[in-house]
Amino acid sequence: MFIDGRQVEDGTIIETDLAIIGAGAAGISIARELAGTDISVALIESGGFEFDAATQDLYEGEMGGVEYPLTSSRLRYFGGTTNHWGGWTRPFEPIDFEERDWVPYSGWPMTRADLDPYYDRAREICQIRSSGFDDASEWADGGAPLPLAGDEVETRFFLYSPPTRFGKRYRPDIEQAKNITCYLESNVTEIVPTENGAEVDHLKIATLTGVKYTIRPRVCVLACGGIENARVLLLSNSVEKDGLGNRTGNVGRFFMEHPHVGSPATFLVTDLDLIASWYRTYTRVERPDGNVVMRGCLMMSEDYLRRNKRLGTVLTFAPSRPVTAETGKDNPPDPAEYLHPKILQLARSTTSTPATTEEFGWRLGVGCASEQEPNPASRITLSERKDALGLNRTKLTWRLKKSDRDNLRANLEAVARAFGGWGEGRVRILFPERDEWNVAEGWGNHHLGTTRISTDPKHGVVDADCRVHGMSNLFIAGSSVFPTGSTVNPTLTLVALALRLSDHLKHRFAAGTPL
């Protein structure tokens, strides 16, 4: 059932077993898992069913550090950011969950094997009809992986969700579930705890039209996204002056993204047919149970990461064009006019003979995204500016470190070695060496790490069950709990974690001990 919060009588108090704050990928996944149970669920969504500029403006905030688009990187209505999600999915690597001595603050209180069953369920929710993220044989009809030299770089695969628009796809499930009530146009202005701060007592709700009401849950899940989760905790300061879950000062810290660079290198290959088409474009593969859209990419091997103490990078190929000496409407000008002399020399010295003396092969652009080192100085705080609800807006201070830049540069050099050793390709690295990285070329719109998971309250905000340290009935869902960010898109992993949390909550309620 859906209720427009603007139509709720002012001052109403609503009792429920479970309150889920936020109806995005994580919140909707948890609600669906509990549909049909005897657990009453209040799903609380700031927006309605469509985009609204006034509601979207609640995301507006202040910037420090690297410039970043706070408002446009998220959508604030039913379905959340899945309403403009691109659909890229891939599980995190096993090494991503480990405590790595070269990555400060790394280590998850679970392994990839622990999460694998939830990844399988998450694939179904994201409508992905294959698990072939690392199985080249599944895609053999479209070509073979590049036989790159050495053991530093490997081919891996992204599989694409249609993409699943959670708000549209799963709206009927929420509407038909007798135990779920979704309150639209309703903003949680504070999570109010008991006097000792040990458990959630009630939620203050307000609409942009001025209606105010209260929800009293037995258990609460905060699922508003990687930035808003931290903001809501910091705003919940009537009892805990620094905000809920923030006794050790970690709420809002360790904000991470995936720095993207659109043209970090130029690749030359002697023959485009040597590059499987699924490296260069989205490829639809027909399967008995439905089509799968996939794409090959280059990633760093686990052995390379361990040996060289590096963080990950993923590279995808951009559209290609021939390198010729001709001019004309359909061909680029003389390569000597636009290629660096050294790369032109390399192109002419490749081991295979081009089709004609006037052809030098094919030029491939690439895009890349890289893992960011967790950094406590990269953080969410509250601005002095207020939004339409009278709440402090977000202040994001995103910091990139020199080590992040050095890591990406070293990984590009590893890819260049792999191509050079192969003999059919050459690479010119364009990503510059520099002392600082204070301007981001791009980003993935991936908000990670601001309420990080940690077994030790000194180093995080939630425990291994995603429960806020020091509180009995407040949990957090979404990518804000990631202690490290891997180098791939977070949606599949955050859905898997939401399903894991759902199982935990069902077990607690079934045992009669939700608190």
Side-chain angles (χ1 to χ4, degrees):
M1 176 171 60
F2 288 95
I3 292 178
D4 187 327
R6 295 171 298 188
Q7 306 305 315
V8 174
E9 185 178 352
D10 199 64
T12 297
I13 298 176
I14 298 165
E15 305 278 349
T16 189
D17 290 327
L18 175 66
I20 303 171
I21 307 170
I28 288 176
S29 294
I30 294 170
R32 287 185 70 249
E33 288 295 305
L34 300 177
T37 68
D38 58 1
I39 302 168
S40 60
V41 178
L43 179 60
I44 308 162
E45 169 54 44
S46 173
F49 290 127
E50 302 294 338
F51 177 87
D52 174 73
T55 301
Q56 186 71 14
D57 180 72
L58 297 174
Y59 276 145
E60 186 58 77
E62 182 181 344
M63 291 301 309
V66 177
E67 195 66 25
Y68 193 81
L70 274 175
T71 306
S72 62
S73 64
R74 281 294 176 271
L75 290 177
R76 201 175 179 108
Y77 61 100
F78 189 71
T81 304
T82 67
N83 287 299
H84 68 182
W85 176 42
W88 291 60
T89 71
R90 180 176 171 79
F92 283 12
E93 304 302 312
I95 192 174
D96 294 330
F97 295 91
E98 297 179 10
E99 182 177 353
R100 292 163 278 172
D101 59 13
W102 66 95
V103 183
Y105 308 103
S106 62
W108 294 53
M110 67 194 73
T111 66
R112 162 66 184 271
D114 293 331
L115 211 54
D116 276 340
Y118 299 102
Y119 273 130
D120 288 339
R121 289 163 56 184
R123 282 192 299 103
E124 295 179 9
I125 291 174
C126 295
Q127 300 177 279
I128 302 165
R129 297 181 176 91
S130 172
S131 59
F133 294 100
D134 297 303
D135 185 0
S137 66
E138 280 212 38
W139 323 114
D141 289 347
L146 289 167
L148 299 178
D151 65 349
E152 297 181 327
V153 183
E154 297 178 347
T155 293
R156 296 176 190 157
F157 301 95
F158 278 87
L159 305 184
Y160 292 88
S161 171
T164 303
R165 305 298 182 206
F166 280 57
K168 294 181 178 178
R169 173 74 179 179
Y170 298 119
R171 177 175 169 179
D173 294 354
I174 302 302
E175 191 165 25
Q176 295 165 17
K178 295 181 179 180
N179 65 313
I180 299 176
T181 303
C182 181
Y183 296 89
L184 301 172
E185 308 288 353
S186 298
N187 302 278
V188 173
T189 59
E190 184 177 2
I191 302 172
V192 182
T194 51
E195 289 185 4
N196 62 1
E199 66 183 65
V200 174
D201 183 75
H202 65 275
L203 311 178
K204 291 182 178 180
I205 314 292
T207 73
L208 288 174
T209 59
V211 174
K212 295 182 179 180
Y213 63 100
T214 298
I215 293 181
R216 292 187 180 277
R218 297 173 67 196
V219 177
C220 181
V221 174
L222 179 59
C224 293
I227 290 177
E228 283 293 291
N229 279 351
R231 182 190 179 212
V232 171
L233 292 177
L234 293 172
L235 287 169
S236 300
N237 57 11
S238 61
V239 174
E240 298 281 348
K241 64 181 180 63
D242 294 322
L244 293 183
N246 200 28
R247 292 179 179 178
T248 58
N250 285 306
V251 170
R253 292 190 182 275
F254 298 97
F255 175 82
M256 295 174 290
E257 245 279 13
H258 291 135
H260 281 48
V261 181
S263 300
T266 293
F267 285 59
L268 286 171
V269 294
T270 57
D271 186 345
L272 193 61
D273 289 339
L274 295 172
I275 309 292
S277 61
W278 38 249
Y279 279 115
R280 294 177 276 120
T281 188
Y282 303 97
T283 302
R284 186 176 298 276
V285 180
E286 294 185 4
R287 299 172 63 91
D289 57 344
N291 294 338
V292 175
V293 177
M294 50 76 66
R295 191 170 184 179
C297 65
L298 300 179
M299 294 179 68
M300 319 315 295
S301 72
E302 183 175 315
D303 286 345
Y304 164 81
L305 296 176
R306 292 189 189 282
R307 190 166 62 242
N308 296 280
K309 297 187 180 298
R310 295 294 176 194
L311 287 83
T313 296
V314 57
L315 288 96
T316 55
F317 289 106
S320 57
R321 62 173 174 169
V323 177
T324 75
E326 300 175 13
T327 59
K329 180 178 180 181
D330 297 322
N331 293 310
D334 186 332
E337 295 180 8
Y338 67 90
L339 288 181
H340 189 282
K342 289 184 178 180
I343 198 69
L344 180 62
Q345 180 182 0
L346 287 172
R348 287 169 167 157
S349 66
T350 50
T351 58
S352 292
T353 302
T356 75
T357 56
E358 297 300 312
E359 277 187 14
F360 304 110
W362 289 79
R363 185 172 75 162
L364 298 169
V366 294
C368 75
S370 213
E371 182 177 3
Q372 180 182 354
E373 182 180 303
N375 180 4
S378 187
R379 65 184 301 194
I380 306 296
T381 54
L382 297 179
S383 168
E384 294 299 317
R385 296 167 53 203
K386 301 294 181 70
D387 65 16
L389 296 168
L391 302 175
N392 297 80
R393 291 188 180 275
T394 298
K395 180 177 180 180
L396 169 61
T397 303
W398 181 27
R399 302 289 189 194
L400 287 167
K401 300 175 69 174
K402 183 178 184 296
S403 59
D404 297 321
R405 188 218 65 81
D406 292 343
N407 182 77
L408 175 54
R409 174 79 188 195
N411 289 350
L412 291 171
E413 291 172 357
V415 174
R417 288 192 294 270
F419 266 78
W422 170 38
E424 299 290 349
R426 296 292 187 270
V427 177
R428 177 189 176 197
I429 297 174
L430 305 176
F431 186 67
E433 295 190 43
R434 52 191 168 195
D435 293 333
E436 295 182 339
W437 195 1
N438 51 22
V439 177
E441 284 84 347
W443 43 79
N445 294 309
H446 305 154
H447 303 163
L448 316 168
T450 60
T451 65
R452 64 199 321 262
I453 193 170
S454 173
T455 54
D456 187 343
K458 294 179 182 179
H459 301 140
V461 177
V462 300
D463 66 14
D465 294 321
C466 295
R467 181 178 58 84
V468 172
H469 287 297
M471 299 193 70
S472 64
N473 64 343
L474 178 58
F475 296 80
I476 299 181
S479 55
S480 68
V481 306
F482 293 6
T484 51
S486 182
T487 189
V488 301
N489 304 57
T491 303
L492 192 69
T493 298
L494 75 85
V495 171
L497 285 173
L499 298 176
R500 180 176 177 270
L501 175 55
S502 300
D503 282 359
H504 176 74
L505 293 174
K506 285 188 284 187
H507 175 76
R508 285 172 64 115
F509 276 104
T513 56
L515 301 182

